[in-house]
């Protein structure tokens, strides 16, 4: 079978490998669709934390089960998505029902080789089926689950103002689930094209360009209260540090984005708000099921989310261009 390996930052190489064999507790899945995530882009440019090379990228996946041992629900021929976070099952996080932040977590396509290949062997426990959904919907489950998890962590309630900083793929997922939760969503980004996309295509009620006038704009939108919930989806240190100024008194700040540096903020300003700061890592099966149910019910559509489609054979040539905001990429899908 053919695989695509990121040998070093900025360099892909197609290679040949053997098709994996079935083993206990696992299934062989033929990959059909692969979503390209910010994690993949950052890995390619060499800025992704927790990463080593060479690495086969790809963790937003949809495929067809080719072989599987005896199972009550899954059969060969079933179309599935993949929960790509493999946990140990025994650490303090796993024991407390938080496998998404397992101490020994291995993320498919990040800590171990991922799905940019024709066939993969996967733990049966990581496969999720949902009748009535197509392969593109299944491939989009993971990025939306990240957003759903962040919104759930924040405890978003109807009527709250939720500011989402970063209008990329993950940020858009956060916005959708904040909307589904009944919040009034504010999108912030430095890229005017992305803000226009939020307003015209996704019908986000308020968009704010990051910069000198952002604070004033947030005050005006919220009648001076600022935001009940601020969620960063940029992974930019500057954006994360600036985000503290938009939190309402008694508000919550959730970091979905990840960067390598140290956060710095005014303790008095944070303290007087009695604000809550938390991170949001990966997602759980419950988040995946919420996403798939929202897709099946029509609450969540991926039709306007996918902006670029490319065949597996074209990835090496086209991938570098997706680092350029001018290409207008929101979500690229690789078709096997």
């Amino acid at each position: 079978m053919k695989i695509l390996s990121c040998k070093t930052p900025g360099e892909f190489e197609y290679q040949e490998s053997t098709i994996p064999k079935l083993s206990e507790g696992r299934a062989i899945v033929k990959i059909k669709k692969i979503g390209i995530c910010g994690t993949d882009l950052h890995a390619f440019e060499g800025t992704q934390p927790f990463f080593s090379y060479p690495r086969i990228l790809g963790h937003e996946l949809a495929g067809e089960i080719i072989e599987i041992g005896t199972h009550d629900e899954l059969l060969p021929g079933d179309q599935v998505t993949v929960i790509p976070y493999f946990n140990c099952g025994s650490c303090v996080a796993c024991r407390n029902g938080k496998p998404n932040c397992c101490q020994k977590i291995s993320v498919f396509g990040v800590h171990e080789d991922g799905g940019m290949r024709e066939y993969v062997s996967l733990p049966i426990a990581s496969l999720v089926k949902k009748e009535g959904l197509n392969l593109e919907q299944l491939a989009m489950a993971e990025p939306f689950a990240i957003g759903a998890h962040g919104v759930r962590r924040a405890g978003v309630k109807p009527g709250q103002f939720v500011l989402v900083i970063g209008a990329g793929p993950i940020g858009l997922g956060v916005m959708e689930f904040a909307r589904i939760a009944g919040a009034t969503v504010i999108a912030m980004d430095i890229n005017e094209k992305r803000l226009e996309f939020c307003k015209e295509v996704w019908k986000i009620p308020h968009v704010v360009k990051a910069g000198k006038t952002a604070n004033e704009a947030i005050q005006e939108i919220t009648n001076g209260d600022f935001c009940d919930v601020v969620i960063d989806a940029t992974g930019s240190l500057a954006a994360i540090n600036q985000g503290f100024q938009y939190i309402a008194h008694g508000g919550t700040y959730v970091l979905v984005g990840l960067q390598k540096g140290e956060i710095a903020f005014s303790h008095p300003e944070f303290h007087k708000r009695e604000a809550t700061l938390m991170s949001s890592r990966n997602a759980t099966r419950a988040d995946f099921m919420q996403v798939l149910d929202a897709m099946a019910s029509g609450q969540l559509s991926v039709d306007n989310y996918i902006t670029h489609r490319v065949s597996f054979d074209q990835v090496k040539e086209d991938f570098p261009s997706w680092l350029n905001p001018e290409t207008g990429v929101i979500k690229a899908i690789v078709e096997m």
Side-chain angles (χ1 to χ4, degrees):
M1 66 172 179
K2 183 180 286 188
I3 68 173
L4 180 60
S5 176
C6 186
K7 294 184 65 179
T8 61
E11 183 181 359
F12 275 129
E13 181 179 58
Y14 288 104
Q15 300 172 345
E16 293 292 325
S17 183
T18 57
I19 296 174
K21 295 182 179 180
L22 185 65
S23 58
E24 184 69 25
R26 302 180 76 87
I28 305 301
V29 176
K30 181 176 176 61
I31 299 300
K32 298 282 192 172
K33 305 279 186 180
I34 307 167
I36 302 301
C37 175
T39 298
D40 302 315
L41 297 173
H42 296 155
F44 182 75
E45 67 182 358
T47 59
Q48 176 63 28
F50 315 131
F51 208 85
S52 62
Y53 303 85
R55 179 67 67 228
I56 299 172
L57 305 181
H59 62 275
E60 299 179 0
L61 306 172
E64 177 186 339
I65 296 175
I66 302 301
E67 292 184 84
I68 189 171
T70 303
H71 195 272
D72 293 338
E73 298 179 5
L74 298 173
L75 298 169
D78 283 343
Q79 293 184 344
V80 293
T81 188
V82 178
I83 303 174
Y85 330 117
F86 306 149
N87 63 297
C88 73
S90 60
C91 73
V92 62
C94 292
R95 295 196 309 270
N96 288 316
K98 295 177 69 70
N100 56 297
C101 59
C102 166
Q103 287 181 324
K104 301 176 182 178
I105 200 164
S106 181
V107 179
F108 202 56
V110 179
H111 305 109
E112 62 181 83
D113 285 339
M116 282 201 184
R117 40 185 163 167
E118 294 178 274
Y119 298 90
V120 294
S121 171
L122 291 162
I124 294 173
S126 72
L127 304 179
V128 185
K129 178 177 73 170
K130 181 69 176 180
E131 298 290 352
L133 299 184
N134 61 42
L135 287 164
E136 287 194 345
Q137 289 173 308
L138 291 171
M140 291 296 94
E142 196 272 345
F144 279 113
I146 297 288
H149 188 73
V151 169
R152 182 159 64 89
R153 287 277 287 150
V156 173
K157 298 178 178 64
Q160 289 186 322
F161 281 104
V162 176
L163 170 64
V164 182
I165 306 173
I170 298 300
L172 287 170
V174 173
M175 293 177 207
E176 278 294 88
F177 280 91
R179 174 189 63 80
I180 289 170
T184 298
V185 179
I186 307 168
M188 180 181 289
D189 204 287
I190 59 173
N191 187 318
E192 291 185 355
K193 288 184 178 180
R194 285 194 166 182
L195 291 177
E196 184 178 350
F197 183 87
C198 288
K199 187 174 182 179
E200 300 299 326
V201 179
W202 283 69
K203 308 303 180 185
I204 303 299
H206 304 285
V207 298
V208 175
K209 186 174 181 180
K212 295 180 179 180
T213 61
N215 191 290
E216 183 179 337
I218 296 296
Q219 287 193 66
E220 183 175 349
I221 293 167
T222 62
N223 297 313
D225 289 341
F226 289 94
C227 302
D228 303 285
V229 176
V230 178
I231 302 180
D232 178 83
T234 66
S236 160
L237 181 58
I240 290 170
N241 286 341
Q242 290 165 7
F244 285 91
Q245 66 184 297
Y246 308 124
I247 310 170
H249 281 246
T252 299
Y253 192 9
V254 182
L255 304 182
V256 175
L258 175 65
Q259 51 77 43
K260 291 183 176 181
E262 296 181 351
I263 300 168
F265 57 92
S266 167
H267 188 181
E269 287 297 318
F270 185 77
H271 191 93
K272 75 181 185 181
R273 286 168 168 79
E274 198 179 53
T276 300
L277 174 64
M278 62 176 69
S279 61
S280 177
R281 189 178 188 194
N282 301 325
T284 65
R285 178 172 285 269
D287 299 313
F288 273 77
M289 294 312 304
Q290 182 186 3
V291 168
L292 297 177
D293 288 345
M295 289 180 178
S297 69
Q299 282 185 302
L300 177 64
S301 173
V302 303
D303 292 345
N304 295 323
Y305 193 68
I306 301 168
T307 56
H308 292 66
R309 292 176 175 84
V310 64
S311 70
F312 184 55
D313 292 336
Q314 283 291 116
V315 175
K316 180 178 178 179
E317 181 178 339
D318 288 9
F319 196 99
S321 70
W322 299 335
L323 296 168
N324 181 2
E326 294 302 314
T327 60
V329 174
I330 298 296
K331 176 59 65 175
I333 287 282
V334 177
E335 302 176 337
M336 302 294 285

